Amino acid sequence: MAYAVAENVISILVHKRDGHLFFAAGRDAVVAGLMRELQAVMPTGSSDALAAACNRSLNQLAPSTRSRPWVEAVDPVGGSVTMRHSRRC
């Protein structure tokens, strides 16, 4: 499940052309970071907990970026991901 969520996040980043903000360390490093954060909160049925785990990982990869995609929700059953683009304060 963690791998499916990580792949879904990466797919959205690539599709939205925001991958350059995160892939400097390499795609495998991004997958590993997402999976590490996700596995720390699993098992859970909480979309919010899974989204927060993804955002912690993305924040470590691009902490100084003021505007970037954020994971808004993760389906805890199927692993689908909803992201939004927003500005950080």
Side-chain angles (χ1 to χ4, degrees), residues 1-87:
M1 168 71 155
Y3 183 76
V5 173
E7 284 293 330
N8 287 337
V9 169
I10 287 172
S11 176
I12 293 170
L13 291 175
V14 169
H15 179 73
K16 298 289 186 186
R17 300 175 194 227
D18 289 310
H20 68 281
L21 297 172
F22 305 99
F23 297 151
R27 187 181 189 284
D28 291 341
V30 176
V31 170
L34 285 163
M35 287 183 57
R36 186 172 36 256
E37 291 292 339
L38 287 163
Q39 289 170 340
V41 299
M42 294 176 95
T44 183
S46 170
S47 173
D48 291 341
L50 294 168
C54 291
N55 287 324
R56 278 192 301 276
S57 180
L58 295 177
N59 195 48
Q60 291 171 7
L61 294 168
S64 61
T65 304
R66 291 187 48 86
S67 180
R68 70 165 175 87
W70 288 88
V71 176
E72 187 170 46
V74 177
D75 178 359
V77 176
S80 63
V81 174
T82 302
M83 293 182 78
R84 63 184 164 87
H85 203 279
S86 67
R87 282 186 175 243

